[in-house]
Amino acid sequence: MIETRQLTKRYGELTAVDGISFKLEPGRVLGFLGPNGAGKSTTMKMIAGFLAPTSGSASVCGHDVVDDAIAAKRMLGYLPEGAPSYGEMTPHRFLEFVADVRGLSGAKRTQRIDDVIERLHLNGVLEQPIETLSKGFKRRVGLAQAIVHDPQVLILDEPTDGLDPNQKHEVRALINAMAKDKTIIVSTHILEEVHAVCSRAIIIARGRVLADATPAELETRSRYHQAVSLTAANVPAAKEALSKVADVAAVEIDPQDHRITAFPKPGRQIFVAVNQALQAQGVAVSELQLESGRLDEVFRTITQGSGQEARA
Amino acid sequence: MSNIVTVFKRELSSYFATPVAYVFIVIFLLLAGTFTFYLGNFYERGQADLLPFFNFHPWLYLFLVPAVGMRLWSEERKSGTIELLLTMPITMWQAVVGKFLAAWAFIGIALVFTFPIWITVDYLGSPDNGVILASYIGSFLMAGAFLAIASCISACTRNQVIAFILTVVVCFAFLLAGFPLVLDFFSAWAPQGVVDAISGLSFLDHFASISKGVVQLRDLIYFGLTIAFWLYASAVVIDLKKAD
């Protein structure tokens, strides 16, 4: 369990994190979204016990991260931004070191190390210095050290940054597999990831929480929520047909692929009406889709005007 | 304690994972030998002692210890591993002490490899082995004091070159604290008591006192306190600067 109360970090004049409060229960994966410099990493660093809060507090499994730092850190697995590791060490030696610091010993230590090596497919590179590995492998070594002690709480700062699509998929599957009994915070820029792994999303900008909801709830804030998109051979005829539907507020045509989107009036559902109108007008449609809402658009709307570069 | 050992082992093995360790040891031994035989006139003196060998240690350390110590914390900060290390369940002082002891042990290993010169002098004559042992202890303690300074300055910057140069300067000041070069700087304006206190900080004086063969408590305490002070300062600096 993670709890923060009015967590704040100031650097002189600059307020990087401004009174963030939330509570996260086991079995939940929280996605931290926000523009660069929004305060995502700073918040995670404070929860991980690396930076001391200027004011407010955070606790991990009931242990305050300042007053009871060692106990809090014991509960925690942390992947810092950029997945740093000791370049001259091999992944095997590095994982042994982390296991030792984490207090694992004997058969348990061997079993845990073998397990994370297996899970993150590190077998092929075990004895190569980490600095010679590709970005994807470095990231996986970083993830391996974060989970080697099977922590209750995981804080992952951009865990899929620099991975190829297959590796991203694997890491998401890994997070989902661990999500059942752990408390996990993931920060990301990739909005599709929020759908793939998160049960809750917090959008922050300029150090403040601007939205705190499930991904589905966030999508309902999109103007694309309940909109209908379609591709038709005869674009003007289709547009004509759509604009006659009573609950359609606006019709837009994508200048690139000529895909047509009809937006409903607030609170209305237009899918059935649109479908009927098209058939009545005899417009041939090659594809028709009900939109659930676009997170990237919600993200832009929420963070707009507050996306200035500040301290990460 | 076990955390210190774990940090110590990782740090020490990292020296030997790269050529740095071997380059350092070879250069240390070469320079120590060259100074002893050419500048120290080891043979020409015709005396069975290791004075010409130990006399050059402070000057060797002045450049070689900062070279070992410069990476202690600046590299952790530059590569971001400091974030990893300090979010593990270890305390700040365990990390500081573990890393310091590893670097100190590394210099100790280099020092141990100078044993042939002890065997040589023992073979050629009959030196006072007590004095030689005391000198080794003094030399090792002095290296520790240099290294603690290096640790603190290394924590101040993520640039190893800056860490190296600043460490050399500060070590040089401590080395010569009892000499006019440094004392004149203070005697013009500081009260006599302060000047005396500064002259008492000289590494050279304390090292010379031990290498006469008398390991006095006050010299041990001096080096012990110096190391403790600079390590404490390291921890404070790391805490202040880690967010940068």
Side-chain angles (χ1 to χ4, degrees), chain A residues 3 6 28 36 47 87 109 111-112 115 119 139 143 152 157 175 178 180 191 195-196 203 216 218 237 242 253 267 305:
Chain A
E3 191 172 1
Q6 291 300 314
R28 307 275 280 170
N36 283 329
I47 300 170
R109 174 176 180 266
Q111 180 244 317
R112 284 302 308 161
D115 181 58
R119 278 190 188 211
R139 180 83 28 171
L143 272 165
Q152 295 281 302
D157 202 345
I175 294 173
M178 293 187 300
K180 282 188 257 346
L191 292 158
H195 263 302
I203 297 182
L218 283 180
L242 288 174
I253 298 167

CSV table of all heavy atoms in Angstrom, one decimal, chain A residues 3 6 28 36 47 87 109 111-112 115 119 139 143 152 157 175 178 180 191 195-196 203 216 218 237 242 253 267 305:
chain,number,residue,atom,x,y,z
A,3,GLU,N,0.7,5.5,0.4
A,3,GLU,CA,-0.2,6.7,0.7
A,3,GLU,C,0.7,7.9,0.7
A,3,GLU,O,1.8,7.9,1.3
A,3,GLU,CB,-0.8,6.5,2.1
A,3,GLU,CG,-1.9,7.5,2.3
A,3,GLU,CD,-2.7,7.2,3.6
A,3,GLU,OE1,-2.4,6.2,4.2
A,3,GLU,OE2,-3.6,8.0,3.9
A,6,GLN,N,-0.3,15.3,0.9
A,6,GLN,CA,0.2,16.7,0.5
A,6,GLN,C,1.7,16.7,0.2
A,6,GLN,O,2.4,17.6,0.7
A,6,GLN,CB,-0.1,17.7,1.7
A,6,GLN,CG,-1.6,18.0,1.9
A,6,GLN,CD,-2.2,18.6,0.6
A,6,GLN,OE1,-1.6,19.5,0.1
A,6,GLN,NE2,-3.3,18.1,0.2
A,28,ARG,N,-3.7,-3.0,-7.3
A,28,ARG,CA,-4.0,-1.9,-8.2
A,28,ARG,C,-2.7,-1.4,-8.9
A,28,ARG,O,-1.6,-1.4,-8.3
A,28,ARG,CB,-4.6,-0.7,-7.4
A,28,ARG,CG,-5.8,-1.0,-6.6
A,28,ARG,CD,-7.0,-1.0,-7.4
A,28,ARG,NE,-7.5,0.4,-7.5
A,28,ARG,CZ,-8.5,0.7,-8.3
A,28,ARG,NH1,-9.1,-0.2,-9.1
A,28,ARG,NH2,-8.9,2.0,-8.4
A,36,ASN,N,6.6,16.0,-19.8
A,36,ASN,CA,8.0,16.1,-19.3
A,36,ASN,C,8.1,17.2,-18.3
A,36,ASN,O,7.6,18.3,-18.6
A,36,ASN,CB,9.0,16.2,-20.4
A,36,ASN,CG,9.3,15.0,-21.1
A,36,ASN,OD1,9.2,13.9,-20.5
A,36,ASN,ND2,9.6,15.1,-22.4
A,47,ILE,N,8.8,8.9,-2.9
A,47,ILE,CA,8.1,7.7,-2.4
A,47,ILE,C,9.2,6.6,-2.2
A,47,ILE,O,9.2,5.9,-1.2
A,47,ILE,CB,7.0,7.2,-3.3
A,47,ILE,CG1,5.9,8.3,-3.4
A,47,ILE,CG2,6.4,5.9,-2.7
A,47,ILE,CD1,4.9,8.0,-4.5
A,87,GLY,N,27.8,-0.3,-14.8
A,87,GLY,CA,28.1,-0.8,-16.1
A,87,GLY,C,29.2,-1.8,-16.2
A,87,GLY,O,29.2,-2.7,-17.1
A,109,ARG,N,17.8,-17.1,-2.4
A,109,ARG,CA,18.6,-16.2,-3.2
A,109,ARG,C,18.7,-16.7,-4.6
A,109,ARG,O,18.4,-16.1,-5.6
A,109,ARG,CB,19.9,-15.9,-2.5
A,109,ARG,CG,20.9,-15.0,-3.3
A,109,ARG,CD,22.1,-14.8,-2.4
A,109,ARG,NE,23.1,-14.0,-3.0
A,109,ARG,CZ,24.2,-14.5,-3.7
A,109,ARG,NH1,24.3,-15.8,-3.8
A,109,ARG,NH2,25.1,-13.7,-4.1
A,111,GLN,N,17.1,-19.1,-6.1
A,111,GLN,CA,15.8,-19.3,-6.7
A,111,GLN,C,15.2,-18.0,-7.3
A,111,GLN,O,14.8,-17.9,-8.4
A,111,GLN,CB,14.9,-20.0,-5.7
A,111,GLN,CG,13.5,-20.3,-6.3
A,111,GLN,CD,12.4,-19.5,-5.6
A,111,GLN,OE1,12.5,-19.4,-4.3
A,111,GLN,NE2,11.5,-18.9,-6.3
A,112,ARG,N,15.3,-17.0,-6.5
A,112,ARG,CA,14.8,-15.7,-6.9
A,112,ARG,C,15.6,-15.1,-8.1
A,112,ARG,O,15.0,-14.6,-9.0
A,112,ARG,CB,14.9,-14.6,-5.7
A,112,ARG,CG,13.8,-14.8,-4.7
A,112,ARG,CD,12.4,-14.7,-5.2
A,112,ARG,NE,12.2,-13.5,-6.0
A,112,ARG,CZ,11.2,-13.4,-6.9
A,112,ARG,NH1,10.3,-14.4,-7.1
A,112,ARG,NH2,11.0,-12.3,-7.6
A,115,ASP,N,14.7,-17.0,-11.1
A,115,ASP,CA,13.4,-16.6,-11.5
A,115,ASP,C,13.3,-15.3,-12.3
A,115,ASP,O,12.7,-15.3,-13.4
A,115,ASP,CB,12.5,-16.5,-10.3
A,115,ASP,CG,11.1,-16.2,-10.6
A,115,ASP,OD1,10.5,-17.0,-11.4
A,115,ASP,OD2,10.5,-15.1,-10.2
A,119,ARG,N,12.3,-14.7,-16.2
A,119,ARG,CA,11.2,-13.8,-16.5
A,119,ARG,C,11.5,-12.7,-17.5
A,119,ARG,O,10.8,-12.3,-18.3
A,119,ARG,CB,10.6,-13.2,-15.2
A,119,ARG,CG,9.7,-14.0,-14.4
A,119,ARG,CD,9.1,-13.1,-13.4
A,119,ARG,NE,8.3,-13.8,-12.4
A,119,ARG,CZ,7.2,-13.3,-11.8
A,119,ARG,NH1,6.9,-12.1,-12.1
A,119,ARG,NH2,6.6,-14.0,-11.0
A,139,ARG,N,17.4,-2.0,-19.8
A,139,ARG,CA,16.2,-1.8,-19.1
A,139,ARG,C,15.7,-3.0,-18.4
A,139,ARG,O,15.1,-3.0,-17.3
A,139,ARG,CB,15.2,-1.3,-20.2
A,139,ARG,CG,13.8,-1.0,-19.8
A,139,ARG,CD,13.6,0.4,-19.2
A,139,ARG,NE,14.6,1.4,-19.7
A,139,ARG,CZ,14.5,2.7,-19.5
A,139,ARG,NH1,13.4,3.1,-18.8
A,139,ARG,NH2,15.3,3.5,-20.0
A,143,LEU,N,14.8,-3.7,-14.5
A,143,LEU,CA,13.5,-4.3,-14.0
A,143,LEU,C,13.8,-5.5,-13.2
A,143,LEU,O,13.1,-5.7,-12.1
A,143,LEU,CB,12.6,-4.7,-15.2
A,143,LEU,CG,11.7,-3.6,-15.8
A,143,LEU,CD1,11.2,-4.0,-17.1
A,143,LEU,CD2,10.6,-3.4,-14.8
A,152,GLN,N,6.5,-6.0,-2.1
A,152,GLN,CA,5.1,-5.7,-2.0
A,152,GLN,C,4.7,-4.6,-2.9
A,152,GLN,O,3.6,-4.5,-3.4
A,152,GLN,CB,4.8,-5.3,-0.5
A,152,GLN,CG,5.0,-6.4,0.5
A,152,GLN,CD,3.9,-7.4,0.5
A,152,GLN,OE1,2.7,-7.0,0.7
A,152,GLN,NE2,4.2,-8.6,0.2
A,157,ASP,N,9.7,3.7,-13.0
A,157,ASP,CA,9.7,5.0,-13.8
A,157,ASP,C,10.0,4.7,-15.2
A,157,ASP,O,11.2,4.4,-15.6
A,157,ASP,CB,10.8,5.9,-13.2
A,157,ASP,CG,10.5,7.4,-13.5
A,157,ASP,OD1,9.7,7.7,-14.4
A,157,ASP,OD2,11.2,8.3,-12.8
A,175,ILE,N,4.1,-7.0,-15.8
A,175,ILE,CA,3.4,-6.1,-14.8
A,175,ILE,C,2.0,-6.6,-14.4
A,175,ILE,O,1.7,-6.7,-13.3
A,175,ILE,CB,3.4,-4.6,-15.3
A,175,ILE,CG1,4.8,-4.1,-15.4
A,175,ILE,CG2,2.6,-3.8,-14.4
A,175,ILE,CD1,4.9,-2.7,-16.1
A,178,MET,N,2.1,-9.5,-12.1
A,178,MET,CA,2.5,-9.2,-10.7
A,178,MET,C,1.4,-8.4,-10.1
A,178,MET,O,1.4,-8.2,-8.8
A,178,MET,CB,3.8,-8.4,-10.7
A,178,MET,CG,5.0,-9.3,-11.1
A,178,MET,SD,6.6,-8.4,-10.9
A,178,MET,CE,6.3,-7.0,-11.9
A,180,LYS,N,-1.6,-8.7,-9.3
A,180,LYS,CA,-2.7,-9.3,-8.5
A,180,LYS,C,-2.5,-8.9,-7.0
A,180,LYS,O,-3.4,-8.5,-6.3
A,180,LYS,CB,-2.7,-10.8,-8.7
A,180,LYS,CG,-3.4,-11.2,-9.9
A,180,LYS,CD,-3.6,-12.7,-10.0
A,180,LYS,CE,-2.7,-13.5,-10.9
A,180,LYS,NZ,-1.9,-13.0,-11.9
A,191,LEU,N,0.4,6.4,-24.0
A,191,LEU,CA,-1.0,6.3,-23.4
A,191,LEU,C,-1.6,5.0,-23.6
A,191,LEU,O,-2.5,4.5,-22.9
A,191,LEU,CB,-1.8,7.4,-24.1
A,191,LEU,CG,-1.3,8.8,-23.6
A,191,LEU,CD1,-1.7,9.9,-24.5
A,191,LEU,CD2,-1.8,9.1,-22.2
A,195,HIS,N,-4.0,1.8,-20.9
A,195,HIS,CA,-5.0,0.8,-21.1
A,195,HIS,C,-4.5,-0.6,-20.8
A,195,HIS,O,-5.2,-1.4,-20.2
A,195,HIS,CB,-5.5,0.8,-22.6
A,195,HIS,CG,-6.7,1.7,-22.8
A,195,HIS,ND1,-7.8,1.4,-22.2
A,195,HIS,CD2,-6.9,2.7,-23.6
A,195,HIS,CE1,-8.7,2.3,-22.5
A,195,HIS,NE2,-8.2,3.1,-23.4
A,196,ALA,N,-3.3,-0.8,-21.3
A,196,ALA,CA,-2.8,-2.2,-21.2
A,196,ALA,C,-2.5,-2.6,-19.7
A,196,ALA,O,-2.7,-3.8,-19.4
A,196,ALA,CB,-1.5,-2.3,-22.0
A,203,ILE,N,-3.2,12.0,-13.8
A,203,ILE,CA,-2.5,13.0,-14.7
A,203,ILE,C,-2.0,14.1,-13.9
A,203,ILE,O,-2.8,14.8,-13.2
A,203,ILE,CB,-3.5,13.5,-15.8
A,203,ILE,CG1,-3.9,12.3,-16.7
A,203,ILE,CG2,-2.8,14.5,-16.7
A,203,ILE,CD1,-4.8,12.6,-17.8
A,216,ALA,N,-11.0,4.2,-18.3
A,216,ALA,CA,-12.3,4.3,-19.0
A,216,ALA,C,-13.0,5.6,-18.6
A,216,ALA,O,-13.6,6.2,-19.5
A,216,ALA,CB,-13.1,3.1,-18.6
A,218,LEU,N,-11.5,8.3,-17.8
A,218,LEU,CA,-10.8,9.4,-18.5
A,218,LEU,C,-11.3,9.5,-19.9
A,218,LEU,O,-11.5,10.6,-20.5
A,218,LEU,CB,-9.3,9.2,-18.5
A,218,LEU,CG,-8.6,9.5,-17.2
A,218,LEU,CD1,-7.1,9.2,-17.3
A,218,LEU,CD2,-8.8,11.0,-16.8
A,237,ALA,N,-21.5,12.6,-49.8
A,237,ALA,CA,-22.8,12.0,-49.5
A,237,ALA,C,-22.9,11.5,-48.1
A,237,ALA,O,-23.9,11.7,-47.4
A,237,ALA,CB,-23.0,10.8,-50.5
A,242,LEU,N,-24.9,12.2,-42.5
A,242,LEU,CA,-24.6,12.3,-41.1
A,242,LEU,C,-25.1,13.6,-40.5
A,242,LEU,O,-25.6,13.6,-39.3
A,242,LEU,CB,-23.1,12.2,-40.8
A,242,LEU,CG,-22.4,10.8,-41.1
A,242,LEU,CD1,-20.9,10.9,-40.9
A,242,LEU,CD2,-23.0,9.8,-40.1
A,253,ILE,N,-13.8,15.7,-41.1
A,253,ILE,CA,-13.2,14.7,-42.0
A,253,ILE,C,-11.7,14.9,-41.9
A,253,ILE,O,-11.1,16.0,-41.9
A,253,ILE,CB,-13.6,15.1,-43.5
A,253,ILE,CG1,-15.2,14.9,-43.6
A,253,ILE,CG2,-12.9,14.2,-44.5
A,253,ILE,CD1,-15.7,15.5,-44.8
A,267,GLY,N,-24.0,13.6,-24.0
A,267,GLY,CA,-24.8,12.6,-23.3
A,267,GLY,C,-25.7,11.8,-24.3
A,267,GLY,O,-26.4,10.9,-23.9
A,305,GLY,N,-1.6,24.2,-21.7
A,305,GLY,CA,-1.2,25.4,-21.0
A,305,GLY,C,-0.4,25.2,-19.7
A,305,GLY,O,0.1,26.1,-19.2
